[in-house]
Amino acid sequence: MPDKLTVPGPADPPLAGPERAMLEGWLEYHRASLLLTCGGLNEEQRKRRPVATSLMSLHGMVRHLADVERNWFQRVLGQPPGLPPIFLSDEASDADWVPLDGADWAADLASWQAECARSRLTAAAHGLADVGIGVRGGRRVTCSLRWIYNHMIEEYARHNGHADLIRELVAPPADR
């Protein structure tokens, strides 16, 4: 394979070992994959929404996942009283995705990275069977840290697939 087609990827998660190490490894793999997909693009490319019927952009995805990290690890598992979402509100349920006109990539990336760090600390203080209370599908639910890890892996994997396609549309391979 020619070198210019080889892209360094995130570290592979463990192929065997304790369940927790595997869950943490997969989540870290997907976090790193998103960061890698956003790398090397300019502000306009990261903010571009190339699918007319979708609000998704790479910048919006980072904002969205910052709120998802906060929701499941802090608000559900950690449960500090009154911790608000970062970008979302009752008045603007899509504020993580749009508008992005005045959004600052460095600040939003730092917010996402800070939430990932807080998620790691919160998870480290809990066992896989520890539970929190959240809302899913409009219903109050009790879920374990194990479930949160699996959900976050699924959330990142789905959005990383979106991110790969968005990247192809905003920076076709010939432009790289």
Side-chain angles (χ1 to χ4, degrees):
M1 180 179 288
D3 286 342
K4 72 178 192 172
L5 296 179
T6 304
V7 177
D12 284 334
L15 299 175
E19 177 185 19
R20 186 173 189 131
M22 293 180 82
L23 291 169
E24 289 172 351
W26 274 109
L27 184 52
E28 290 302 331
Y29 174 87
H30 284 295
R31 287 171 175 153
S33 292
L34 178 63
L35 190 58
L36 182 65
T37 302
C38 294
L41 299 176
N42 62 40
E43 183 173 337
E44 186 278 328
Q45 289 170 315
R46 285 188 303 266
K47 288 182 179 180
R48 192 180 316 159
R49 296 184 346 241
V51 178
T53 57
S54 174
L55 296 177
M56 287 188 188
S57 68
L58 294 172
H59 189 140
M61 201 168 295
V62 166
R63 289 167 56 129
H64 171 72
L65 288 164
D67 265 324
V68 171
E69 290 271 356
R70 175 173 282 193
N71 182 60
W72 290 108
F73 285 101
Q74 304 311 313
R75 297 173 75 201
V76 172
L77 187 62
Q79 298 185 343
L83 183 67
I86 302 167
F87 300 103
L88 302 174
S89 69
D90 290 337
E91 298 78 39
S93 62
D94 290 328
D96 45 353
W97 297 105
V98 291
L100 293 174
D101 299 338
D104 179 309
W105 171 252
D108 292 346
L109 180 62
S111 290
W112 172 68
Q113 290 172 321
E115 286 307 314
C116 291
R118 276 191 278 284
S119 295
R120 289 181 198 100
L121 290 173
T122 299
H126 291 276
L128 290 176
D130 289 356
V131 297
I133 299 177
V135 176
R136 184 154 172 85
R139 296 183 356 243
R140 277 178 72 87
V141 295
T142 300
C143 56
S144 67
L145 174 57
R146 178 180 286 105
W147 184 91
I148 292 169
Y149 272 133
N150 279 288
H151 174 65
M152 292 300 294
I153 291 164
E154 175 270 332
E155 181 86 8
Y156 272 96
R158 185 165 34 94
H159 284 312
N160 278 334
H162 298 141
D164 288 342
L165 293 171
I166 291 170
R167 170 102 190 194
E168 289 291 323
L169 293 169
V170 302
D175 291 355
R176 290 186 215 153

